[in-house]
Amino acid sequence: MNVDSESNMENPALTTTTRAKRDWASATDKERADVHWSLSDAFVDNEVNYAFIARQTEDYDPQEIRRILYEEVAPVCHTNLETVIPMIWSAFNLQQLQADIAETLKARESSRFRRQLDKLLIRWLEFRYKYIWQEISRHYPK
């Protein structure tokens, strides 16, 4: 809901614009790729700009972004932070990232065993990388 200038005249305290959150289900492939790529920045072996990640994902519901972080991006990217010498230190390759996420989601969908295994992995990722979500979410507009 946008706050128009007439409303601001009546109530000067309303000076910001509130935008409705976008629906992830209706996001285009490019929009999905952009969100995935932004979230993957949290898994590079370099200083992470959490404020930038928050700005890139703030158009969507924060709980949906959290779900995407732990259920789609982290399962593919977390191993970069788990190795002694991480391979990726600046950015993930966008096309490879998208292919890896699609492969993971397809495998999860087609195998009951994989779904159960991934549930355990996702819970561990939520625990191990809790700080990532805390950092991103603290930069969302209140």
Side-chain angles (χ1 to χ4, degrees):
M1 173 169 94
N2 288 331
V3 178
D4 61 20
S5 57
E6 249 181 68
S7 297
N8 288 342
M9 299 293 278
E10 295 169 8
N11 186 352
L14 295 175
T15 58
T16 60
T17 301
T18 305
R19 294 181 4 196
K21 297 294 181 188
R22 299 183 59 202
D23 181 29
W24 181 249
S26 63
T28 65
D29 288 344
K30 182 182 180 336
E31 291 166 338
R32 287 173 182 265
D34 290 345
V35 168
H36 288 147
W37 203 32
S38 294
L39 292 171
S40 74
D41 281 353
F43 297 93
V44 297
D45 184 36
N46 211 331
E47 187 173 335
V48 177
N49 187 341
Y50 293 105
F52 177 77
I53 296 171
R55 281 193 305 277
Q56 296 300 307
T57 60
E58 70 186 2
D59 288 345
Y60 298 95
D61 177 62
Q63 289 309 308
E64 184 67 12
I65 295 300
R66 183 184 184 284
R67 185 198 64 75
I68 294 162
L69 172 66
Y70 292 115
E71 294 182 18
E72 297 180 17
V73 177
V76 170
C77 299
H78 79 95
T79 56
N80 193 59
L81 296 180
E82 300 295 325
T83 61
V84 175
I85 301 174
M87 300 271 302
I88 302 181
W89 54 271
S90 63
F92 284 85
N93 176 287
L94 178 59
Q95 289 76 24
Q96 187 62 51
L97 177 66
Q98 287 306 104
D100 291 346
I101 290 172
E103 182 180 323
T104 298
L105 294 176
K106 184 177 180 182
R108 190 180 296 158
E109 182 180 314
S110 63
S111 168
R112 183 177 184 274
F113 178 72
R114 177 65 185 262
R115 281 191 298 279
Q116 297 307 313
L117 192 61
D118 279 3
K119 282 181 184 180
L120 292 172
L121 174 62
I122 291 163
R123 295 304 160 253
W124 181 80
L125 293 168
E126 290 171 335
F127 171 76
R128 173 70 177 89
Y129 298 108
K130 181 179 182 177
Y131 72 92
I132 291 175
W133 179 247
Q134 288 173 334
E135 287 296 320
I136 293 170
S137 63
R138 103 183 156 87
H139 291 286
Y140 283 136
K142 302 294 182 221

